[in-house]
Amino acid sequence: MADKIAQKIKDREEVLDLLEIKDTPIEKIEKIFESYKSDQEVVGMVAMNLSLRTSVYDREQEKSETMTRMMHKLATVEDMGSRWAVAKNPHTPIEVLELLAKDSVNLVRALVATNPNTPKAILTNFFSDEKIVRDGLSGNPNTPEKYLNILADDKDKMVRLRIAENPSVTEKILKKLALDEDPDITKAATIKLEEKLS
């Protein structure tokens, strides 16, 4: 009996080590998840492994049916950190983002608001959500212009700064931010405006 317990502990340690390696085959990650789905630490490490293997710069990297299946499963686990990792992952499918957009934890919803995969319809609903969620809209390139324009007057400096750096910000909004009282925002808006005009 003691040998079986010792083996189980050793196996779990090996599993945790494998989950720290970004290059562990995703099929193996899925098998680990299925074998340990009642172990919240392992589940959280699975979610973090999926995050490690994705990149906001190369959205096609690691995209697969297995990845999509894993996102669906992780979006419904009890562990908030796992849902958080799925909410911010650029590979998360729209139907999973729709589910996470209704999450009871505001930080999960805030990360859905920042995810560049989140469609405009969901982002529009976030505008009437809590401040932490609404603030996430400021950097999302899919946020409709009318909300970026409203957020450009936000009292929070970081919100205005993210708007100035938003890839979808319009010249009109940038001109408004170029006159901001904060020099960091003025500088960011001016640089972005020059890029757009050149």
Side-chain angles (χ1 to χ4, degrees), residues 87 99-115 126 129-130 132-134 136:
L99 173 70
L100 292 171
K102 298 172 186 137
D103 199 279
S104 61
V105 177
N106 62 7
L107 182 56
V108 173
R109 295 192 313 276
L111 288 166
V112 173
T114 66
N115 192 315
F126 282 147
D129 206 319
E130 296 175 54
I132 188 173
V133 179
R134 217 175 29 253

PDB file of all heavy atoms in Angstrom, residues 87 99-115 126 129-130 132-134 136:
ATOM      1  N   ALA A  87      -9.440  32.628 -20.612  1.00  0.00           N
ATOM      2  CA  ALA A  87     -10.036  33.914 -21.009  1.00  0.00           C
ATOM      3  C   ALA A  87      -9.056  34.800 -21.756  1.00  0.00           C
ATOM      4  O   ALA A  87      -9.441  35.527 -22.670  1.00  0.00           O
ATOM      5  CB  ALA A  87     -10.567  34.639 -19.770  1.00  0.00           C
ATOM      6  N   LEU A  99     -19.079  32.002 -23.142  1.00  0.00           N
ATOM      7  CA  LEU A  99     -19.341  31.379 -21.842  1.00  0.00           C
ATOM      8  C   LEU A  99     -18.611  32.135 -20.723  1.00  0.00           C
ATOM      9  O   LEU A  99     -19.204  32.491 -19.702  1.00  0.00           O
ATOM     10  CB  LEU A  99     -18.886  29.911 -21.872  1.00  0.00           C
ATOM     11  CG  LEU A  99     -18.927  29.159 -20.552  1.00  0.00           C
ATOM     12  CD1 LEU A  99     -20.367  28.916 -20.117  1.00  0.00           C
ATOM     13  CD2 LEU A  99     -18.185  27.828 -20.685  1.00  0.00           C
ATOM     14  N   LEU A 100     -17.328  32.411 -20.931  1.00  0.00           N
ATOM     15  CA  LEU A 100     -16.523  33.097 -19.913  1.00  0.00           C
ATOM     16  C   LEU A 100     -16.938  34.560 -19.721  1.00  0.00           C
ATOM     17  O   LEU A 100     -16.678  35.148 -18.685  1.00  0.00           O
ATOM     18  CB  LEU A 100     -15.041  33.001 -20.269  1.00  0.00           C
ATOM     19  CG  LEU A 100     -14.446  31.590 -20.177  1.00  0.00           C
ATOM     20  CD1 LEU A 100     -13.038  31.565 -20.747  1.00  0.00           C
ATOM     21  CD2 LEU A 100     -14.468  31.074 -18.751  1.00  0.00           C
ATOM     22  N   ALA A 101     -17.585  35.132 -20.726  1.00  0.00           N
ATOM     23  CA  ALA A 101     -18.080  36.514 -20.603  1.00  0.00           C
ATOM     24  C   ALA A 101     -19.149  36.628 -19.531  1.00  0.00           C
ATOM     25  O   ALA A 101     -19.442  37.718 -19.045  1.00  0.00           O
ATOM     26  CB  ALA A 101     -18.622  36.998 -21.945  1.00  0.00           C
ATOM     27  N   LYS A 102     -19.727  35.477 -19.131  1.00  0.00           N
ATOM     28  CA  LYS A 102     -20.764  35.461 -18.081  1.00  0.00           C
ATOM     29  C   LYS A 102     -20.211  34.927 -16.768  1.00  0.00           C
ATOM     30  O   LYS A 102     -20.970  34.656 -15.838  1.00  0.00           O
ATOM     31  CB  LYS A 102     -21.932  34.590 -18.551  1.00  0.00           C
ATOM     32  CG  LYS A 102     -22.603  35.125 -19.802  1.00  0.00           C
ATOM     33  CD  LYS A 102     -23.621  34.148 -20.340  1.00  0.00           C
ATOM     34  CE  LYS A 102     -24.147  34.650 -21.668  1.00  0.00           C
ATOM     35  NZ  LYS A 102     -24.259  33.622 -22.659  1.00  0.00           N
ATOM     36  N   ASP A 103     -18.897  34.753 -16.680  1.00  0.00           N
ATOM     37  CA  ASP A 103     -18.281  34.200 -15.473  1.00  0.00           C
ATOM     38  C   ASP A 103     -18.601  35.081 -14.265  1.00  0.00           C
ATOM     39  O   ASP A 103     -18.703  36.304 -14.382  1.00  0.00           O
ATOM     40  CB  ASP A 103     -16.759  34.111 -15.660  1.00  0.00           C
ATOM     41  CG  ASP A 103     -16.112  33.148 -14.691  1.00  0.00           C
ATOM     42  OD1 ASP A 103     -15.873  33.530 -13.527  1.00  0.00           O
ATOM     43  OD2 ASP A 103     -15.862  31.998 -15.095  1.00  0.00           O
ATOM     44  N   SER A 104     -18.741  34.458 -13.112  1.00  0.00           N
ATOM     45  CA  SER A 104     -19.063  35.213 -11.895  1.00  0.00           C
ATOM     46  C   SER A 104     -17.869  36.023 -11.386  1.00  0.00           C
ATOM     47  O   SER A 104     -18.036  36.974 -10.625  1.00  0.00           O
ATOM     48  CB  SER A 104     -19.543  34.263 -10.793  1.00  0.00           C
ATOM     49  OG  SER A 104     -18.516  33.330 -10.485  1.00  0.00           O
ATOM     50  N   VAL A 105     -16.660  35.691 -11.831  1.00  0.00           N
ATOM     51  CA  VAL A 105     -15.452  36.386 -11.379  1.00  0.00           C
ATOM     52  C   VAL A 105     -15.138  37.527 -12.354  1.00  0.00           C
ATOM     53  O   VAL A 105     -14.926  37.301 -13.547  1.00  0.00           O
ATOM     54  CB  VAL A 105     -14.258  35.409 -11.275  1.00  0.00           C
ATOM     55  CG1 VAL A 105     -12.990  36.132 -10.875  1.00  0.00           C
ATOM     56  CG2 VAL A 105     -14.581  34.285 -10.288  1.00  0.00           C
ATOM     57  N   ASN A 106     -15.104  38.755 -11.826  1.00  0.00           N
ATOM     58  CA  ASN A 106     -14.895  39.918 -12.694  1.00  0.00           C
ATOM     59  C   ASN A 106     -13.550  39.901 -13.424  1.00  0.00           C
ATOM     60  O   ASN A 106     -13.445  40.380 -14.545  1.00  0.00           O
ATOM     61  CB  ASN A 106     -15.108  41.228 -11.940  1.00  0.00           C
ATOM     62  CG  ASN A 106     -14.138  41.437 -10.788  1.00  0.00           C
ATOM     63  OD1 ASN A 106     -13.200  40.679 -10.583  1.00  0.00           O
ATOM     64  ND2 ASN A 106     -14.380  42.481 -10.019  1.00  0.00           N
ATOM     65  N   LEU A 107     -12.517  39.329 -12.817  1.00  0.00           N
ATOM     66  CA  LEU A 107     -11.214  39.284 -13.477  1.00  0.00           C
ATOM     67  C   LEU A 107     -11.254  38.394 -14.714  1.00  0.00           C
ATOM     68  O   LEU A 107     -10.618  38.687 -15.727  1.00  0.00           O
ATOM     69  CB  LEU A 107     -10.131  38.798 -12.502  1.00  0.00           C
ATOM     70  CG  LEU A 107      -8.709  38.762 -13.060  1.00  0.00           C
ATOM     71  CD1 LEU A 107      -8.284  40.131 -13.591  1.00  0.00           C
ATOM     72  CD2 LEU A 107      -7.731  38.285 -12.005  1.00  0.00           C
ATOM     73  N   VAL A 108     -12.009  37.320 -14.657  1.00  0.00           N
ATOM     74  CA  VAL A 108     -12.163  36.451 -15.834  1.00  0.00           C
ATOM     75  C   VAL A 108     -12.853  37.239 -16.949  1.00  0.00           C
ATOM     76  O   VAL A 108     -12.398  37.242 -18.094  1.00  0.00           O
ATOM     77  CB  VAL A 108     -12.954  35.164 -15.481  1.00  0.00           C
ATOM     78  CG1 VAL A 108     -13.266  34.363 -16.740  1.00  0.00           C
ATOM     79  CG2 VAL A 108     -12.179  34.310 -14.480  1.00  0.00           C
ATOM     80  N   ARG A 109     -13.922  37.946 -16.601  1.00  0.00           N
ATOM     81  CA  ARG A 109     -14.623  38.753 -17.613  1.00  0.00           C
ATOM     82  C   ARG A 109     -13.712  39.860 -18.147  1.00  0.00           C
ATOM     83  O   ARG A 109     -13.722  40.157 -19.352  1.00  0.00           O
ATOM     84  CB  ARG A 109     -15.902  39.362 -17.022  1.00  0.00           C
ATOM     85  CG  ARG A 109     -16.936  38.326 -16.625  1.00  0.00           C
ATOM     86  CD  ARG A 109     -18.302  38.921 -16.315  1.00  0.00           C
ATOM     87  NE  ARG A 109     -18.321  40.075 -15.456  1.00  0.00           N
ATOM     88  CZ  ARG A 109     -18.301  40.053 -14.116  1.00  0.00           C
ATOM     89  NH1 ARG A 109     -18.257  38.891 -13.467  1.00  0.00           N
ATOM     90  NH2 ARG A 109     -18.349  41.170 -13.412  1.00  0.00           N
ATOM     91  N   ALA A 110     -12.896  40.447 -17.274  1.00  0.00           N
ATOM     92  CA  ALA A 110     -11.975  41.508 -17.705  1.00  0.00           C
ATOM     93  C   ALA A 110     -10.975  40.978 -18.728  1.00  0.00           C
ATOM     94  O   ALA A 110     -10.633  41.675 -19.693  1.00  0.00           O
ATOM     95  CB  ALA A 110     -11.243  42.098 -16.500  1.00  0.00           C
ATOM     96  N   LEU A 111     -10.528  39.741 -18.543  1.00  0.00           N
ATOM     97  CA  LEU A 111      -9.585  39.163 -19.500  1.00  0.00           C
ATOM     98  C   LEU A 111     -10.254  38.795 -20.815  1.00  0.00           C
ATOM     99  O   LEU A 111      -9.638  38.882 -21.873  1.00  0.00           O
ATOM    100  CB  LEU A 111      -8.870  37.965 -18.875  1.00  0.00           C
ATOM    101  CG  LEU A 111      -7.857  38.408 -17.807  1.00  0.00           C
ATOM    102  CD1 LEU A 111      -7.416  37.234 -16.964  1.00  0.00           C
ATOM    103  CD2 LEU A 111      -6.667  39.094 -18.436  1.00  0.00           C
ATOM    104  N   VAL A 112     -11.529  38.426 -20.753  1.00  0.00           N
ATOM    105  CA  VAL A 112     -12.284  38.219 -22.001  1.00  0.00           C
ATOM    106  C   VAL A 112     -12.361  39.556 -22.740  1.00  0.00           C
ATOM    107  O   VAL A 112     -12.217  39.612 -23.960  1.00  0.00           O
ATOM    108  CB  VAL A 112     -13.699  37.654 -21.718  1.00  0.00           C
ATOM    109  CG1 VAL A 112     -14.537  37.618 -22.997  1.00  0.00           C
ATOM    110  CG2 VAL A 112     -13.616  36.262 -21.100  1.00  0.00           C
ATOM    111  N   ALA A 113     -12.547  40.651 -21.987  1.00  0.00           N
ATOM    112  CA  ALA A 113     -12.632  41.992 -22.594  1.00  0.00           C
ATOM    113  C   ALA A 113     -11.331  42.384 -23.288  1.00  0.00           C
ATOM    114  O   ALA A 113     -11.349  43.137 -24.258  1.00  0.00           O
ATOM    115  CB  ALA A 113     -13.005  43.029 -21.535  1.00  0.00           C
ATOM    116  N   THR A 114     -10.190  41.863 -22.829  1.00  0.00           N
ATOM    117  CA  THR A 114      -8.901  42.209 -23.452  1.00  0.00           C
ATOM    118  C   THR A 114      -8.532  41.257 -24.581  1.00  0.00           C
ATOM    119  O   THR A 114      -7.643  41.565 -25.377  1.00  0.00           O
ATOM    120  CB  THR A 114      -7.749  42.182 -22.420  1.00  0.00           C
ATOM    121  OG1 THR A 114      -7.554  40.834 -21.969  1.00  0.00           O
ATOM    122  CG2 THR A 114      -8.010  43.093 -21.250  1.00  0.00           C
ATOM    123  N   ASN A 115      -9.193  40.113 -24.670  1.00  0.00           N
ATOM    124  CA  ASN A 115      -8.811  39.094 -25.650  1.00  0.00           C
ATOM    125  C   ASN A 115      -9.123  39.572 -27.072  1.00  0.00           C
ATOM    126  O   ASN A 115     -10.265  39.914 -27.381  1.00  0.00           O
ATOM    127  CB  ASN A 115      -9.567  37.780 -25.358  1.00  0.00           C
ATOM    128  CG  ASN A 115      -9.018  36.612 -26.143  1.00  0.00           C
ATOM    129  OD1 ASN A 115      -8.755  36.702 -27.330  1.00  0.00           O
ATOM    130  ND2 ASN A 115      -8.841  35.496 -25.460  1.00  0.00           N
ATOM    131  N   PHE A 126     -19.922  44.423 -22.335  1.00  0.00           N
ATOM    132  CA  PHE A 126     -19.019  44.717 -21.222  1.00  0.00           C
ATOM    133  C   PHE A 126     -18.997  46.184 -20.829  1.00  0.00           C
ATOM    134  O   PHE A 126     -18.547  46.531 -19.749  1.00  0.00           O
ATOM    135  CB  PHE A 126     -17.587  44.273 -21.550  1.00  0.00           C
ATOM    136  CG  PHE A 126     -17.347  42.798 -21.416  1.00  0.00           C
ATOM    137  CD1 PHE A 126     -16.455  42.163 -22.263  1.00  0.00           C
ATOM    138  CD2 PHE A 126     -17.992  42.044 -20.449  1.00  0.00           C
ATOM    139  CE1 PHE A 126     -16.210  40.808 -22.146  1.00  0.00           C
ATOM    140  CE2 PHE A 126     -17.753  40.687 -20.326  1.00  0.00           C
ATOM    141  CZ  PHE A 126     -16.860  40.068 -21.177  1.00  0.00           C
ATOM    142  N   ASP A 129     -20.542  46.767 -17.598  1.00  0.00           N
ATOM    143  CA  ASP A 129     -20.058  45.895 -16.528  1.00  0.00           C
ATOM    144  C   ASP A 129     -19.237  46.720 -15.518  1.00  0.00           C
ATOM    145  O   ASP A 129     -19.117  47.938 -15.651  1.00  0.00           O
ATOM    146  CB  ASP A 129     -19.196  44.770 -17.136  1.00  0.00           C
ATOM    147  CG  ASP A 129     -19.153  43.508 -16.290  1.00  0.00           C
ATOM    148  OD1 ASP A 129     -19.052  43.623 -15.047  1.00  0.00           O
ATOM    149  OD2 ASP A 129     -19.207  42.403 -16.855  1.00  0.00           O
ATOM    150  N   GLU A 130     -18.655  46.037 -14.530  1.00  0.00           N
ATOM    151  CA  GLU A 130     -17.817  46.697 -13.523  1.00  0.00           C
ATOM    152  C   GLU A 130     -16.631  47.396 -14.177  1.00  0.00           C
ATOM    153  O   GLU A 130     -16.207  47.030 -15.269  1.00  0.00           O
ATOM    154  CB  GLU A 130     -17.278  45.660 -12.536  1.00  0.00           C
ATOM    155  CG  GLU A 130     -18.325  44.958 -11.714  1.00  0.00           C
ATOM    156  CD  GLU A 130     -17.715  43.862 -10.854  1.00  0.00           C
ATOM    157  OE1 GLU A 130     -16.767  44.156 -10.107  1.00  0.00           O
ATOM    158  OE2 GLU A 130     -18.185  42.718 -10.952  1.00  0.00           O
ATOM    159  N   ILE A 132     -13.395  47.283 -13.699  1.00  0.00           N
ATOM    160  CA  ILE A 132     -12.252  46.434 -14.079  1.00  0.00           C
ATOM    161  C   ILE A 132     -12.497  45.749 -15.425  1.00  0.00           C
ATOM    162  O   ILE A 132     -11.586  45.572 -16.219  1.00  0.00           O
ATOM    163  CB  ILE A 132     -11.913  45.402 -12.973  1.00  0.00           C
ATOM    164  CG1 ILE A 132     -10.613  44.676 -13.301  1.00  0.00           C
ATOM    165  CG2 ILE A 132     -13.042  44.414 -12.767  1.00  0.00           C
ATOM    166  CD1 ILE A 132     -10.107  43.760 -12.209  1.00  0.00           C
ATOM    167  N   VAL A 133     -13.741  45.391 -15.693  1.00  0.00           N
ATOM    168  CA  VAL A 133     -14.093  44.743 -16.964  1.00  0.00           C
ATOM    169  C   VAL A 133     -14.120  45.787 -18.074  1.00  0.00           C
ATOM    170  O   VAL A 133     -13.533  45.591 -19.145  1.00  0.00           O
ATOM    171  CB  VAL A 133     -15.455  44.023 -16.849  1.00  0.00           C
ATOM    172  CG1 VAL A 133     -15.837  43.367 -18.174  1.00  0.00           C
ATOM    173  CG2 VAL A 133     -15.430  42.988 -15.725  1.00  0.00           C
ATOM    174  N   ARG A 134     -14.779  46.900 -17.807  1.00  0.00           N
ATOM    175  CA  ARG A 134     -14.874  47.992 -18.795  1.00  0.00           C
ATOM    176  C   ARG A 134     -13.477  48.473 -19.200  1.00  0.00           C
ATOM    177  O   ARG A 134     -13.215  48.726 -20.372  1.00  0.00           O
ATOM    178  CB  ARG A 134     -15.671  49.143 -18.168  1.00  0.00           C
ATOM    179  CG  ARG A 134     -16.565  49.864 -19.084  1.00  0.00           C
ATOM    180  CD  ARG A 134     -17.436  50.915 -18.427  1.00  0.00           C
ATOM    181  NE  ARG A 134     -16.914  51.553 -17.253  1.00  0.00           N
ATOM    182  CZ  ARG A 134     -17.333  51.332 -16.007  1.00  0.00           C
ATOM    183  NH1 ARG A 134     -18.285  50.469 -15.765  1.00  0.00           N
ATOM    184  NH2 ARG A 134     -16.807  51.971 -14.992  1.00  0.00           N
ATOM    185  N   GLY A 136     -10.845  46.816 -19.489  1.00  0.00           N
ATOM    186  CA  GLY A 136     -10.234  45.873 -20.423  1.00  0.00           C
ATOM    187  C   GLY A 136     -10.523  46.190 -21.874  1.00  0.00           C
ATOM    188  O   GLY A 136      -9.762  45.816 -22.764  1.00  0.00           O
TER     189      GLY A 136
END
